[in-house]
């Protein structure tokens, strides 16, 4: 990736995206709407390519994953069962002076001297305000500026000639209670639920409340039984879905990185609980935590599957041009993990806005999370809907029956403990939970269980932004008169490039060149996104395609008709020139071979 200064690069990227029709601000003619973005002609193609590649690699190219396309609005009980109604919130606070809104957990840690005031009075009217207020100053700064800010705060509460009351100074370390921009105290953080509410039907009462889905995943859990029964898949298998998700983010930021409407590509990969694997294969194998573990094995437990999916996803990113050195990894700590999750690895991309640590290293920001979610989601829906989410596994029933009694007891006991933990943590009274967990353990011995799940969950829009940032590069060229010009080249991997090939007649006013170029274009467009351009000098047209990220330009020139002039192929006719975007190199191939040549490189 090119390395201009971070925000300069983001500004250049955003300006290119608008100028070339990748990304526009939603509702721009009305001043825009924060956190919403539209994809223009090139952006729409880029996005479509990314989604098709994900869909193809996740479903069509695998025997063990099928697809789903569910509705955006679902029964609100789904979001109660999943925990989103109660807990899908971010802490929000406002600046007491400017009213600017912050996500409380994202405020940078600040240290310094906090000047507290118990209130203020108006020296002309004797009116008093007894609301406490504080201002944080960097150590060593004179307190006068804190007093000035405090006077502004009390003036907003109706005082004219402000006299501050009850001043005291306190040393503060690593606080998130002050506005980093002006030092003003913030309101206490309050949880803000991120789901967009709407009403289903005309009456718009509380009973009609529904939510725009904040993730695509829950539909997969809700439809698990239908998919399992109709797809003839056996655990382990996965269900993939991509589509819109909506979150009323407190502070959308970093261009499209944190949006309020975005798209997700999610896989729920259902696996057997480790106790079932052990009963069938004798033991649960683990895999080395480095590199791809190879083809899935029946003896894999959740750890091996989790590692496998992290590595599969890294392969996907590498296959579309994000090299390993542009990615990072964050394994969530026990404190960060949701209570039901066993592990979660985030794949990060080093965005231009990603922060550097003290050594100057960039960790990156989340592109995708791969979580091992145990059997929590299906269990929640089973309890909430009253419909069984369990499956019957004949192989397990047979294998369990052949185990020695002490092994049966050991596996049943482990499964019992795991189910008991889930049930008690979900608020089921202990006695009731014990009986239910015992029933589950007895069920395991008969081949019944609720599948566990590994969830690779990626954001389309974040990936688009990563691909744009990764592709962005500038070249400076000096012409014969010594004039330099810097222009942008988007070095997309051909698989994701919005336009795969541009077909250009060398000269517009030569009818035979124009007709041949048009015919070649027509022969390609049914197979890939092709573009035909005859306007302007050939150099300008190449530059336009470089800026759009088109990997190949095909030029029809005089040698196409007259035959190659020099070299071993001299005299050969009906050839075209292919120009490569990244190094400007040109090669000549037979027009009849063009489609095959291109397909081998763009798929
Ligand atoms: N079902 C799990 C889930 O939704 P998440 O980490 O909240 O997990 C998964 O979201 C992915 O969705 C993220 O890694 C990110 O790529 C994308 N995503 C989440 N919130 C987003 C937002 N506000 N704007 C753009 N993408 C977002």
């Amino acid at each position: 990736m090119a390395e201009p200064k971070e925000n300069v690069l983001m500004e250049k990227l955003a300006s290119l995206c608008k100028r070339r029709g990748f990304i526009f601000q939603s509702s721009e003619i009305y001043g825009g709407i924060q956190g919403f973005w539209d994809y223009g002609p090139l952006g729409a193609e880029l996005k479509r390519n990314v989604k098709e590649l994900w869909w193809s690699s996740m479903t069509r190219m695998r025997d063990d994953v099928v697809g789903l396309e569910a509705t955006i609005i679902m029964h609100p009980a789904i979001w109660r069962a999943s925990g989103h109604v109660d807990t899908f919130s971010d802490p929000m606070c406002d600046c007491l002076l400017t009213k600017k809104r912050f996500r409380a957990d994202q405020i940078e840690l600040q240290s310094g001297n906090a000047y507290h005031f118990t209130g203020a009075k108006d020296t002309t009217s004797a009116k008093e305000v007894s609301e406490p207020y504080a201002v944080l100053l960097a150590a060593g700064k004179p307190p006068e500026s804190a007093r000035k800010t405090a006077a502004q705060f009390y003036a907003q509460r109706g005082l004219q000639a402000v006299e501050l009351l009850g001043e005291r100074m306190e040393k503060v370390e690593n606080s998130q209670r002050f506005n980093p921009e002006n030092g003003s105290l913030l309101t206490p953080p309050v949880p803000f639920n991120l789901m967009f509410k709407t009403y289903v039907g005309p009456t718009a009462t509380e009973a009609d409340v529904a939510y725009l889905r904040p993730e695509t995943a829950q539909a997969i859990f809700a439809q698990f039984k239908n998919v399992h029964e109709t797809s003839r898949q056996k655990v382990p298998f996965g269900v993939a879905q991509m589509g819109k998700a909506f979150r009323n983010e407190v502070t959308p930021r970093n261009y499209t990185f944190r949006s309020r409407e975005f798209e997700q590509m999610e896989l729920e990969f259902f696996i057997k609980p480790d106790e079932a694997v052990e009963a069938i294969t004798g033991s649960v194998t683990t895999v080395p935590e480095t590199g791809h573990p190879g083809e899935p094995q029946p003896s894999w437990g959740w750890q091996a599957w989790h590692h496998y999916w992290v590595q599969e996803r890294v392969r996907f990113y590498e296959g579309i041009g994000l090299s390993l050195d542009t990615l990072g990894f964050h394994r969530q700590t026990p404190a960060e993990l949701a209570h039901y999750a066993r592990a979660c690895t985030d794949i990060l991309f080093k965005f231009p806005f990603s922060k550097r640590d003290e050594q100057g290293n960039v960790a990156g920001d989340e592109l995708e999370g791969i979580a091992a979610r145990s059997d929590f989601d299906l269990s929640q829906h089973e309890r909430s809907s009253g419909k069984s989410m369990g499956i019957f596994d004949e192989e397990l029933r047979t294998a369990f029956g052949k185990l020695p009694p002490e092994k049966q007891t050991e596996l049943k006991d482990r499964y019992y403990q795991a189910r008991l933990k889930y049930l008690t943590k979900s608020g089921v009274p202990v006695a009731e939970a014990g009986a239910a967990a015992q029933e589950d353990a007895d069920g395991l011995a008969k081949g019944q269980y609720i599948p566990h799940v590994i969830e690779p969950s990626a954001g389309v829009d974040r990936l688009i932004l990563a691909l744009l940032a990764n592709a962005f590069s500038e070249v400076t060229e000096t012409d014969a008169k010594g004039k330099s010009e810097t222009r942008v080249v988007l070095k997309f991997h051909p698989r994701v490039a919005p336009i795969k090939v541009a077909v250009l007649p060398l000269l517009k006013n030569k009818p035979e060149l124009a007709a041949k170029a048009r015919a070649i274009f027509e022969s390609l467009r049914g197979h890939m996104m092709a573009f035909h351009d005859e306007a302007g000098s050939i150099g300008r047209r190449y530059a336009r395609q470089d800026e759009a990220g088109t990997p190949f330009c095909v030029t029809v020139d005089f040698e196409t008709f007259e035959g190659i002039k020099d070299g071993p192929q001299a005299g050969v006719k009906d050839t075209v020139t292919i120009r490569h975007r990244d190094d400007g190199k040109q090669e000549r191939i037979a027009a009849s071979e063009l489609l095959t040549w291109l397909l081998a490189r763009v798929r």
Side-chain angles (χ1 to χ4, degrees), residues 377-443:
D377 303 274
L378 288 180
S379 299
Q380 284 292 98
H381 288 301
E382 178 170 285
R383 286 202 309 122
S384 173
S385 67
K387 306 274 168 20
S388 162
M389 289 288 160
I391 62 143
F392 171 66
D393 187 331
E394 178 62 49
E395 199 185 6
L396 170 62
R397 193 185 68 84
T398 313
F400 213 99
K402 291 182 185 162
L403 292 174
E406 60 279 14
K407 189 71 190 171
Q408 290 186 348
T409 310
E410 182 208 320
L411 289 178
K412 275 177 71 174
D413 191 50
R414 264 170 36 204
Y415 195 66
Y416 168 86
Q417 293 299 341
R419 292 297 299 162
L420 186 68
K421 188 169 160 203
Y422 156 70
L423 289 161
T424 47
K425 283 217 164 183
S426 305
V428 179
V430 178
E432 208 180 299
Q438 191 54 56
E439 215 176 285
D440 293 339
D442 294 341

Side-chain angles (χ1 to χ4, degrees), residues 65 142 225 287 331 338 363 369 374 411 431:
V65 179
K225 282 297 249 192
V287 293
R331 196 168 170 115
S374 70
L411 289 178

Side-chain angles (χ1 to χ4, degrees), residues 84 88 214-218 221 247 249 256-266 268 332 344 346-347 366-369 371 373 455 457-463:
H84 283 81
F88 193 58
E215 61 171 23
T216 59
Q218 289 306 319
F221 298 123
R247 296 183 189 178
E249 297 284 355
T256 57
F257 180 83
R258 192 172 296 288
S259 306
R260 288 179 165 141
E261 176 175 336
F262 55 97
E263 279 194 76
Q264 287 186 315
M265 306 182 286
E266 298 200 290
E268 302 304 325
Q332 289 189 11
C344 186
D346 293 336
I347 300 180
E366 183 185 329
L367 206 52
E368 163 158 4
R373 298 175 62 94
E455 179 192 69
S457 171
V460 180
D461 309 77
R462 284 192 189 174
L463 180 49

Side-chain angles (χ1 to χ4, degrees), residues 321-332:
L322 300 183
S323 59
L324 208 49
D325 59 314
T326 66
L327 303 176
F329 298 90
H330 172 66
R331 196 168 170 115
Q332 289 189 11

